[in-house]
Amino acid sequence: MITVENLTKRYGPHPAVDDVSFQCEPGTVTGFLGPNGAGKSTTMRMICGLTTPTAGRATVSGHPYRDLPNPGREVGVLLDASAQHAGRTGREALTLSAYTMGLDRREVAAKLDLVGLNAVAAKRRVRAYSLGMRQRLGLAQAMLGDPRVLILDEPANGLDPEGIFWMRGLLRDFADRGGTVLLSSHLLREVEAVADRLVVIGGGRIVAQGDKNELLAGG
Ligand code: ADP
Ligand code: ADP
């Protein structure tokens, strides 16, 4: 469960995020849609405690992210896959995360398998990965602790159509087993098939939200 209440972030005179409220329920995928610069990343960073809100609050599983006793086991986060772990191999990057969460190497192997990063790719440095491969690694890292909540910022960026289809199945399955997913994109087609609900943001404000079928039927 993710609860966002009246979140606002101002960097200058114009708010990047302006009085945004929504909820993500267990068992559902919420598509967070809006053009580049709309405020999606800033909202997600505030949910994860990486950016301090000017006003409002967000909780994950009932707590502000920073107060979660074991955040990696509760919520998996993928923000800006392009920026992560350049100098390490994929396997090293995941292994370090696993150790900080008290998990062993078997979890690393299982998650590399889950995201389809094969043995060859896992031994290669991340700087040599395509963006699609980085997204897969980021998803493996987010899912490492078998969290109940996933917060994924533009994870389809750089994936080919087959990769997008694969990720859709993975996220659908995660939600169908009771997980909560918040999934951002600037492209409706990337979230349309997997989302149950849509939250649409533009210029920092929510412009529409609700059941996907009802929203799309209403034009
Ligand atoms: P999105 O993820 O939807 O592309 P962002 O949340 O990244 O949008 O950005 C929303 C707005 O906030 C943009 O106008 C962006 O330029 C601005 N912004 C984001 N981060 C910062 C920052 N650290 N300092 C100043 N402005 C920022
Ligand atoms: P792309 O990043 O080119 O869009 P995907 O992310 O969809 O490709 O990856 C498809 C699969 O191919 C991945 O599971 C990955 O294991 C494998 N793969 C892609 N590039 C490489 C590579 N350079 N070395 C090893 N495996 C690779």
Side-chain angles (χ1 to χ4, degrees):
M1 177 91 175
I2 302 169
T3 303
V4 171
E5 292 171 310
N6 309 106
L7 270 186
T8 296
K9 181 67 185 182
R10 288 177 188 280
Y11 291 107
H14 299 288
V17 173
D18 191 1
D19 199 27
V20 162
S21 300
F22 60 86
Q23 286 194 358
C24 306
E25 308 277 351
T28 66
V29 177
T30 300
F32 192 23
L33 262 181
N36 290 325
K40 304 181 298 295
S41 295
T42 304
T43 301
M44 292 171 124
R45 292 174 61 84
M46 287 192 282
I47 296 170
C48 301
L50 293 171
T51 295
T52 308
T54 307
R57 66 196 289 267
T59 61
V60 181
S61 306
H63 302 277
Y65 183 91
R66 289 185 225 211
D67 295 344
L68 287 169
N70 207 337
R73 306 301 287 269
E74 193 66 39
V75 49
V77 176
L78 172 53
L79 303 172
D80 198 4
S82 67
Q84 293 166 4
H85 308 303
R88 301 194 189 282
T89 70
R91 184 181 301 280
E92 285 169 351
L94 273 200
T95 302
L96 285 172
S97 299
Y99 288 167
T100 59
M101 281 189 265
L103 303 169
D104 67 32
R105 286 158 175 273
R106 277 169 304 188
E107 288 301 318
V108 171
K111 292 306 183 293
L112 286 170
D113 268 356
L114 179 70
V115 302
L117 272 179
N118 59 31
V120 178
K123 284 187 195 148
R124 192 168 295 181
R125 285 185 201 278
V126 175
R127 73 163 67 88
Y129 281 22
S130 66
L131 181 54
M133 290 170 73
R134 289 177 193 226
Q135 297 285 17
R136 287 173 187 266
L137 180 66
L139 202 52
Q141 179 160 338
M143 296 182 80
L144 197 57
D146 292 318
R148 294 190 281 185
V149 177
L150 286 176
I151 296 176
L152 310 172
D153 193 7
E154 297 270 4
N157 253 0
L159 285 179
D160 55 22
E162 190 198 345
I164 291 174
F165 183 81
W166 159 81
M167 192 176 65
R168 186 182 299 164
L170 189 77
L171 298 183
R172 192 64 256 166
D173 189 51
F174 179 86
D176 289 346
R177 286 184 283 117
T180 304
V181 182
L182 178 61
L183 168 69
S184 78
S185 180
H186 60 291
L187 296 171
L188 175 61
R189 66 177 151 79
E190 286 178 357
V191 302
E192 194 176 3
V194 69
D196 304 291
R197 286 177 54 81
L198 295 176
V199 173
V200 186
I201 187 169
R205 301 188 70 99
I206 301 295
V207 294
Q209 67 173 305
D211 177 82
K212 174 189 67 180
N213 294 322
E214 286 171 20
L215 273 189
L216 295 181

